């Protein structure tokens, strides 16, 4: 919990310690912002220098280098905006040092305008609230914000007339309209479009700038970074609530994949990891809403999933990643709080790779035996748990026969052959591979988690790499929201627009559960599960 949201102590000594802790947190936030500002200016200089060198024999290499720096700069500017939003929340009155921002340009005249008139409440436009005298119009304040309607941009003109009392000179005016980001000129719809374009459609912000410019909308990339960073900070409580919901399940699916990340100062990428944990009870007609929780880590160390699942107890369906072993059997003498459920699709893939390369008849027989299990699974899919167990009574003898045959066959193969390794991998996990037969909540494979990783594989081809470790963490947070919305049949852009609107209007922080995808009651376009 942030110190800004912690409950104030009543003891004087504890209060002094709390004040010192708040000062320390604020100084750390200010230092982080200053460091990012210095790094941003350094990268801007490097990009400008490379652009001057771009026309020559090495132009292709330089273009690639510029793209790398653009991504790194994008993540730093977005992170700076997020840090500023966090620091301002911790101590609103404290000055936050920031780099100079580009001069704000007026929104293009060619965009259509929609005017919204904000009159003072009650009879404030006609009767003075101070003395009851008559009011006269004094002028007006106009705030223009950028809005996105599917297919085009528009400008919302918020007009707030001022009225002055003819008797006592008192002035009345409607309050400024609520906006999700402080000092921002983006509506919730614009922020939602920006986030979905970046994290769902995998368009980096510098590319979005180029797309908008073709439509006559000149937006500085640093402006978009500010909007994304501030929006990410606003959405943090929802991300935390979705993750808590996922780990409250009795059974989850887990998987991880690589993501290239720029290594600071090296000019090349390193390999980070994105992890996903999915709660989806729909295959056995469970009532809990589905959701997906994503996390980022700079490497694949076992301490990362251990931290992710520190509060989870139950069944984890995943591949044979060694880092999970400590969770299944932490003392190596008794079972841990998490029970392993293995994946038949993963085992089958190892055997299929051998058959695809060699057309081995032994590999083909193994594939046919596994296929017979999936014929029964097709009947059990989306049936209640008890009915699934009844169907799977036919599966048990098939698996017994498979493992007996696989063990005898593996003994005849060359110990170093790929097929023998595939059989050993499968035989070793017999107990975990057969748990699904007697537990109707379980699946035969981990495809639920693997499907949740497909969007990452698509994104890798488009954005090429994440700009930094903090950028990977931010991406994991937004992926959590986007994927969970899709799992609940909700258009993620519509959902983000809805919750950002509610946050701007002052939705209570103690009612975050009301903003979760399965609790939203607004009209949304359906999405495939």
């Amino acid at each position: 919990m942030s110190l800004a949201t912690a409950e104030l102590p009543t003891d004087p000594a504890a209060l002094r310690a709390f004040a010192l802790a708040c000062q320390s947190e604020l100084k750390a936030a200010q230092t982080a912002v200053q460091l990012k500002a210095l790094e941003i200016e350094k990268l801007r200089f490097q990009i400008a220098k490379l652009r001057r060198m771009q026309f020559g024999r090495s132009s292709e290499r330089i273009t690639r280098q510029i793209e790398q720096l653009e991504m790194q700069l994008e993540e730093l500017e977005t992170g700076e905006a997020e840090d500023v939003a966090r620091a301002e929340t911790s101590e609103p009155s404290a000055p936050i040092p920031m780099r100079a921002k580009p001069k704000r340009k007026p929104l293009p005249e060619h965009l259509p305008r929609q005017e919204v008139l904000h009159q003072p409440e009650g009879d404030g436009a006609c009767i003075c609230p101070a003395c009851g005298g008559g009011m006269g119009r004094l002028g007006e304040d106009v705030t223009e914000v950028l809005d996105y309607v599917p297919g085009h941009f528009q400008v919302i003109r918020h007009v707030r007339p001022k009225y002055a009392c003819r008797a006592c000179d008192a002035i009345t005016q409607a309050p400024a309209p609520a906006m999700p980001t402080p000092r921002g000129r983006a509506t919730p719809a614009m922020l939602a479009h920006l986030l979905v374009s970046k994290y769902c459609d995998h368009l980096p912000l510098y590319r979005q700038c180029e797309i908008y410019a073709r439509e006559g909308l000149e937006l500085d990339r640093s402006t978009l970074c500010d909007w994304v960073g501030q929006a990410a900070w606003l959405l943090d409580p929802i991300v935390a609530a979705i993750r808590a919901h996922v780990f409250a399940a009795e059974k989850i699916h887990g998987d991880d994949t690589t993501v290239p990340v720029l290594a600071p100062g090296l000019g090349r990428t390193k390999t980070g990891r994105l992890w996903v944990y999915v709660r989806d009870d729909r295959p056995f007609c469970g009532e809990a809403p589905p959701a997906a929780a994503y996390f980022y880590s700079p490497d694949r160390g076992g301490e990362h999933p251990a931290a992710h699942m520190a509060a989870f107890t139950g069944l984890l369906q995943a591949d044979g990643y060694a880092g999970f072993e400590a969770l299944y059997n932490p003392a190596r003498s008794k079972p841990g709080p998490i029970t392993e459920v293995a994946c038949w699709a993963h085992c089958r893939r190892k055997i299929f790779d051998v058959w695809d390369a060699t057309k081995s008849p032994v590999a083909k027989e193994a594939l046919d035996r596994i296929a017979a299990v999936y014929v029964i699974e097709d009947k059990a899919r989306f049936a209640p748990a008890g009915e699934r167990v009844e169907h799977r009574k036919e599966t048990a003898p098939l698996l017994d026969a498979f493992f007996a045959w696989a063990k005898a066959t593996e003994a005849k193969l060359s110990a170093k052959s790929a097929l023998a390794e595939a059989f050993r991998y499968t035989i070793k996990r017999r107990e975990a591979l057969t748990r699904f037969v007697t537990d109707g909540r379980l699946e035969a494979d981990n495809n639920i988690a693997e499907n949740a990783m497909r969007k990452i594989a698509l994104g890798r081809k488009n954005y090429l790499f994440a700009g930094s470790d903090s950028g990977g963490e931010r991406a994991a947070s937004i992926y959590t929201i986007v994927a969970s919305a899709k799992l609940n049949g909700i258009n993620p852009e519509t959902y983000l627009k809805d919750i950002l609107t509610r946050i701007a209007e002052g939705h209570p922080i103690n009612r975050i559960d009301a903003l979760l995808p399965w609790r939203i009651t607004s009209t949304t376009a359906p999405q495939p599960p």
Side-chain angles (χ1 to χ4, degrees):
M1 178 185 291
S2 169
L3 290 171
T5 59
E7 193 172 323
L8 286 174
T10 55
D11 179 68
L15 192 59
R16 282 193 295 272
F18 180 80
L20 290 172
C22 286
Q23 290 179 351
S24 176
E25 186 179 89
L26 178 61
K27 287 180 181 178
Q30 291 174 332
T31 302
V33 171
Q34 288 175 321
L35 290 175
K36 280 191 172 69
L38 291 172
E39 187 67 19
I40 286 167
E41 292 307 317
K42 177 183 174 182
L43 285 172
R44 285 184 179 278
F45 175 78
Q46 289 177 327
I47 291 171
K49 182 178 178 181
L50 287 170
R51 289 198 186 284
R52 290 193 296 270
M53 298 167 56
Q54 196 168 7
F55 303 100
R57 294 178 60 186
S58 302
S59 61
E60 186 175 335
R61 178 179 59 81
I62 292 174
T63 299
R64 172 69 174 179
Q65 194 172 353
I66 289 173
E67 286 181 348
Q68 288 183 321
L69 294 176
E70 289 277 14
M71 283 292 296
Q72 190 171 356
L73 179 58
E74 178 177 311
E75 297 295 357
L76 280 169
E77 290 181 330
T78 305
E80 180 192 41
E82 192 172 353
D83 288 342
V84 169
R86 182 177 292 108
E88 288 178 341
T89 303
S90 301
E91 187 59 56
S93 61
I96 306 297
M98 292 181 64
R99 60 188 166 84
K101 297 285 187 180
K103 186 177 180 181
R104 179 180 288 183
K105 300 176 184 177
L107 294 171
E109 291 296 329
H110 72 272
L111 292 180
R113 255 70 175 171
Q114 178 183 333
E115 188 167 297
V116 179
L117 186 63
H118 299 268
Q119 294 283 16
E121 291 185 359
D123 296 325
C126 305
I127 301 173
C128 176
C131 70
M135 303 289 286
R137 186 157 176 164
L138 186 62
E140 63 185 24
D141 289 332
V142 178
T143 303
E144 290 196 337
V145 293
L146 184 63
D147 189 36
Y148 179 77
V149 180
H152 69 277
F153 296 97
Q154 67 176 10
V155 175
I156 304 294
R157 300 184 76 248
H158 291 284
V159 180
R160 297 186 297 128
K162 291 181 181 178
Y163 296 94
C165 178
R166 295 186 179 94
C168 68
D169 293 333
I171 295 176
T172 184
Q173 185 181 33
M179 299 296 292
T181 56
R183 303 178 303 277
R185 290 200 302 169
T187 66
M190 182 64 210
L191 291 176
H193 179 66
L194 198 63
L195 291 171
V196 168
S197 297
K198 178 174 172 62
Y199 295 106
C200 193
D201 300 330
H202 315 297
L203 284 172
L205 296 182
Y206 74 90
R207 291 183 185 170
Q208 291 190 53
C209 286
E210 295 169 357
I211 294 170
Y212 300 160
R214 291 199 297 267
E215 299 184 33
L217 178 60
E218 297 285 347
L219 285 175
D220 193 87
R221 192 263 323 284
S222 65
T223 299
L224 301 189
C225 291
D226 285 349
W227 292 352
V228 169
Q230 292 171 23
W233 166 243
L234 288 173
L235 295 169
D236 265 355
I238 297 174
V239 174
I242 291 175
R243 288 171 174 170
H245 171 76
V246 169
F247 293 123
E250 296 175 343
K251 181 265 298 185
I252 59 175
H253 293 257
D255 197 12
D256 70 294
T257 191
T258 59
V259 56
V261 182
L262 279 178
L266 300 181
R268 59 178 183 267
T269 60
K270 61 179 182 178
T271 301
R273 309 296 298 195
L274 274 171
W275 307 78
V276 69
Y277 306 92
V278 185
R279 177 178 187 173
D280 193 349
D281 298 344
R282 293 175 298 176
F284 62 89
C285 301
E287 295 182 359
Y294 290 81
F295 295 86
Y296 169 83
S297 66
D299 53 56
R300 207 191 186 197
E303 68 274 13
H304 302 302
H308 303 158
M309 293 185 282
F312 174 68
T313 58
L315 299 148
L316 171 64
Q317 190 144 21
D319 61 23
Y321 166 53
F324 291 141
E325 291 295 331
L327 304 178
Y328 302 142
N329 189 12
R332 297 191 179 277
S333 58
K334 60 180 181 178
I338 298 176
T339 302
E340 178 184 12
V341 184
C343 172
W344 272 104
H346 199 73
C347 296
R348 182 190 179 279
R349 198 172 297 129
K350 291 178 177 293
I351 297 170
F352 177 83
D353 288 343
V354 175
W355 179 83
D356 189 45
T358 65
K359 297 300 184 284
S360 161
V362 177
K364 181 64 167 64
E365 183 174 350
L367 294 174
D368 290 342
R369 286 174 178 268
I370 295 172
V373 172
Y374 273 89
V375 169
I376 299 171
E377 280 304 291
D378 287 339
K379 301 175 186 176
R381 191 166 286 114
F382 300 111
E387 187 177 327
R388 282 155 70 93
V389 172
E390 285 298 314
H391 282 297
R392 289 169 177 172
K393 285 181 178 179
E394 303 174 33
T395 303
L398 294 179
L399 292 181
D400 288 341
F402 174 86
F403 281 107
W405 170 82
K407 192 171 183 180
T409 303
E410 187 272 333
K412 301 174 186 177
L413 297 172
S414 170
K416 294 184 179 180
S417 69
L419 187 55
E421 289 179 4
F423 277 148
R424 285 195 295 271
Y425 177 91
T426 305
I427 294 167
K428 179 183 176 182
R429 289 166 175 79
R430 177 172 181 169
E431 183 180 2
L433 283 167
T434 54
R435 281 202 169 97
F436 78 99
V437 176
T438 55
D439 191 333
R441 298 170 299 172
L442 304 180
E443 303 302 309
D445 53 46
N446 194 36
N447 285 347
I448 286 176
E450 292 189 5
N451 289 341
M453 278 302 187
R454 284 182 180 173
K455 63 174 63 65
I456 310 301
L458 291 172
R460 274 197 302 248
K461 297 178 182 178
N462 213 359
Y463 58 65
L464 305 179
F465 41 74
S468 65
D469 287 335
S470 62
E473 292 167 1
R474 191 160 39 249
S477 294
I478 306 301
Y479 287 149
T480 295
I481 291 179
V482 168
S484 296
K486 286 185 173 183
L487 284 170
N488 286 274
I490 297 175
N491 182 325
E493 187 166 333
T494 308
Y495 170 64
L496 282 166
K497 174 187 173 183
D498 194 334
I499 59 176
L500 287 169
T501 299
R502 298 186 191 202
I503 291 171
E505 292 172 351
H507 186 89
I509 190 67
N510 61 351
R511 292 185 54 232
I512 290 298
D513 282 357
L515 299 182
L516 297 178
W518 49 92
R519 298 278 174 81
I520 291 293
T521 57
S522 62
T523 303
T524 54
Q527 290 287 295

